[in-house]
Amino acid sequence: RRSPHTPLAAMFATLALTATLAFNGPAPRAVPRGRAVSVRMEEAVAEVEAPPPPPPAPVMSASVPFLVKNKNLDGLVGDSGFDPLGLSNVLPIDWMVEAELKHGRVCML
């Protein structure tokens, strides 16, 4: 007479075998047999060019620290790097400064 748990035991055995095979990695490759090659240390030395230096880290904005500081804002009065939409890349900065002054003056009337 068969136990009612036999299919469950078979399932767990298969699962354990699959998990064991999955984490053992690939089977080792056979080492090809042939003529052995020996290299002396003096022969193996080759001139290797140094890799280029990494680019400088971007300067982050003081007002929005997760955004890169926009270079178009340099030299403006009160520059804290606030340009989250990047409008200074699209429109001339002088025109936007003049428009801001004009709007402020109209609002004071």
Side-chain angles (χ1 to χ4, degrees):
R1 186 167 185 226
R2 293 183 99 182
S3 170
H5 301 290
T6 303
L8 188 61
M11 182 181 72
F12 282 125
T14 305
L15 181 65
L17 178 65
T18 305
T20 303
L21 292 176
F23 291 107
N24 280 337
R29 294 183 180 178
V31 178
R33 303 245 176 187
R35 192 173 130 208
V37 177
S38 64
V39 178
R40 294 186 181 186
M41 189 58 94
E42 294 84 25
E43 296 171 0
V45 175
E47 291 185 30
V48 178
E49 293 183 24
V59 178
M60 303 310 276
S61 170
S63 61
V64 187
F66 55 86
L67 292 179
V68 177
K69 184 177 180 185
N70 197 333
K71 293 180 182 179
N72 294 336
L73 301 176
D74 288 342
L76 294 177
V77 175
D79 173 33
S80 62
F82 186 78
D83 188 17
L85 299 178
L87 294 176
S88 62
N89 295 330
V90 180
L91 299 170
I93 195 76
D94 298 334
W95 181 79
M96 289 195 299
V97 168
E98 186 178 338
E100 183 72 22
L101 289 172
K102 196 180 289 186
H103 290 132
R105 289 175 182 159
V106 167
C107 287
M108 287 190 277
L109 291 176

